[in-house]
């Protein structure tokens, strides 16, 4: 079974210091790049998160402070990661809600630009949950009839995710072997940012999806309450969310000058 690719796709998995997208950091990243001709290349990095790894988190993925003490920081390897994924779509397990948002934070923190404008994201977990509702270990057993050894290591999870997606496409006749279709199918709700603070209304315009302005158009709120924009930029929101808000603000000001 070969995936029908029009461009490379990078399956990736992160092991981190926790699950807070804004504050937690990467301790391991594994990327498996699959090309349209079927060839593959992979790379796994251990990363010094520049913060303590909680013992309860180390108990899950086995990566301790001592293990990463002499490893490069994310900023040290950000350019290598960018070069590997820049021309590719992205694939992962729960990647739309966690891995991609956290990767975006790390990239922006390292002064590397990151966006999804010219790529799609295929979330294998969403496809799995829509079809079977299980975990990655169960998915690997169910679709590939294999036991996932080394679960919660980035490399094992990354390779298993790639194999599961191929098996999903082969198993279900209504799943098209097309990355745009799979990206759409594996998206539960469309957001302008990764963290889900800015959604789209029925007209395709950005709206706040939280707080006192929930459901209101971002442009209208920023026009009527300009101080809210400043508060958002200084508050503890993900960097990518702030980047999206800034782009909306700049676009609105540009449009105002045209009339």
């Amino acid at each position: 079974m070969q995936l029908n690719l029009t461009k490379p796709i990078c399956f990736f998995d992160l092991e981190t210091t926790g699950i807070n997208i804004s504050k937690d950091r990467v301790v391991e990243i594994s990327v498996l790049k699959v090309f349209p001709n079927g060839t593959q290349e992979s790379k796994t990095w251990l990363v010094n998160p520049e913060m303590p790894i909680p013992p309860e988190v180390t108990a899950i993925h086995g990566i301790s402070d001592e293990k990463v003490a002499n490893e490069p920081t994310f900023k040290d390897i950000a350019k290598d990661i960018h070069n590997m994924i820049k021309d590719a779509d992205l694939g992962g397990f729960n990647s739309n809600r966690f891995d991609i948002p956290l990767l975006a934070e790390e990239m922006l923190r390292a002064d590397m630009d990151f966006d999804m404008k010219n790529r799609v994201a295929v979330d294998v977990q969403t496809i799995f949950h829509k079809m079977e509702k299980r975990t990655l270990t169960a998915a690997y057993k169910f679709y590939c009839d294999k036991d996932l050894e080394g679960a919660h290591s980035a490399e094992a999870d990354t390779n298993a995710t790639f194999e599961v997606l191929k098996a999903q496409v082969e198993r279900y006749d209504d799943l098209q072997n097309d990355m745009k279709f799979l990206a759409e199918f594996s998206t539960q709700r469309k957001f302008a940012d990764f963290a889900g603070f800015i959604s789209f209304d029925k007209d395709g315009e950005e709206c706040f999806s939280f707080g006192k302005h929930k459901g209101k158009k971002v442009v209208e709120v920023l026009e009527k309450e300009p101080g809210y924009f400043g508060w958002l930029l200084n508050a503890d929101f993900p960097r990518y969310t702030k980047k999206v808000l800034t782009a909306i603000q700049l676009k609105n000001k540009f449009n105002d000058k045209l009339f």
Side-chain angles (χ1 to χ4, degrees):
M1 174 64 196
Q2 293 291 330
L3 293 177
N4 183 20
L5 304 176
T6 58
K7 64 191 295 186
I9 181 169
C10 284
F11 294 90
F12 77 101
D13 184 73
L14 306 178
E15 302 302 333
T16 66
T17 59
I19 59 174
N20 186 310
I21 290 171
S22 299
K23 295 181 179 179
D24 280 306
R25 309 293 291 272
V26 170
V27 298
E28 185 180 32
I29 177 171
S30 185
V31 182
L32 171 65
K33 190 170 187 177
V34 183
F35 294 86
N37 65 3
T39 60
Q40 303 172 20
E41 67 177 74
S42 63
K43 177 71 176 178
T44 300
W45 295 266
L46 280 171
V47 184
N48 185 335
E50 301 180 279
M51 66 181 292
I53 305 172
E56 62 271 21
V57 177
T58 295
I60 295 173
H61 54 48
I63 301 173
S64 62
D65 292 336
E66 293 74 21
K67 189 171 182 179
V68 296
N70 297 317
E71 298 295 336
T73 66
F74 192 91
K75 190 167 187 176
D76 292 332
I77 63 173
K79 188 173 181 180
D80 292 335
I81 296 172
H82 172 76
N83 288 338
M84 192 168 185
I85 69 173
K86 64 182 179 181
D87 62 341
D89 294 328
L90 298 179
F93 199 85
N94 193 34
S95 48
N96 284 357
R97 291 187 293 176
F98 182 73
D99 297 86
I100 290 177
L102 203 146
L103 178 63
E105 290 301 290
E106 287 280 34
M107 283 294 199
L108 294 173
R109 192 180 289 118
D111 299 321
M112 297 292 296
D113 194 22
F114 183 92
D115 62 54
M116 297 292 294
K117 291 178 181 177
N118 298 312
R119 67 175 110 212
V120 297
V122 179
D123 193 325
V124 175
Q125 186 195 59
T126 302
I127 295 174
F128 184 34
H129 285 179
K130 284 186 175 183
M131 293 298 190
E132 304 293 346
K133 301 187 185 301
R134 294 289 194 276
T135 63
L136 176 57
T137 300
Y140 196 54
K141 182 67 176 178
F142 181 85
Y143 288 109
C144 306
D145 196 25
K146 298 177 184 177
D147 293 321
L148 179 52
E149 298 184 11
H152 296 300
S153 77
E155 185 172 4
D157 289 356
T158 295
N159 290 323
T161 297
F162 170 51
E163 290 189 46
V164 167
L165 179 59
K166 290 192 295 180
Q168 286 174 329
V169 173
E170 191 168 22
R171 176 181 288 261
Y172 302 113
D173 292 337
D174 52 346
L175 286 184
Q176 297 177 24
N177 192 350
D178 175 82
M179 293 306 105
K180 287 186 178 180
F181 172 87
L182 293 172
E184 183 69 25
F185 188 86
S186 64
T187 299
Q188 294 179 318
R189 184 181 175 188
K190 289 187 176 181
F191 292 96
D193 64 334
F194 298 130
F197 290 108
I198 307 169
S199 60
F200 293 101
D201 64 14
K202 58 183 178 60
D203 299 318
E205 295 189 42
E206 297 94 342
C207 292
F208 287 109
S209 57
F210 72 98
K212 65 178 183 178
H213 293 305
K214 185 176 181 179
K216 296 179 182 178
K217 296 183 189 298
V218 173
V219 169
E220 293 178 359
V221 172
L222 297 185
E223 285 179 348
K224 296 177 181 177
E225 195 176 332
Y228 192 60
F229 178 68
W231 175 79
L232 289 168
L233 293 187
N234 290 310
D236 188 22
F237 287 97
R239 285 172 174 78
Y240 197 84
T241 299
K242 295 177 182 179
K243 177 183 175 181
V244 170
L245 285 168
T246 300
I248 295 171
Q249 175 80 325
L250 291 173
K251 181 180 177 181
N252 188 46
K253 287 184 177 179
F254 177 76
N255 287 340
D256 288 343
K257 291 180 180 179
L258 296 179
F259 298 98

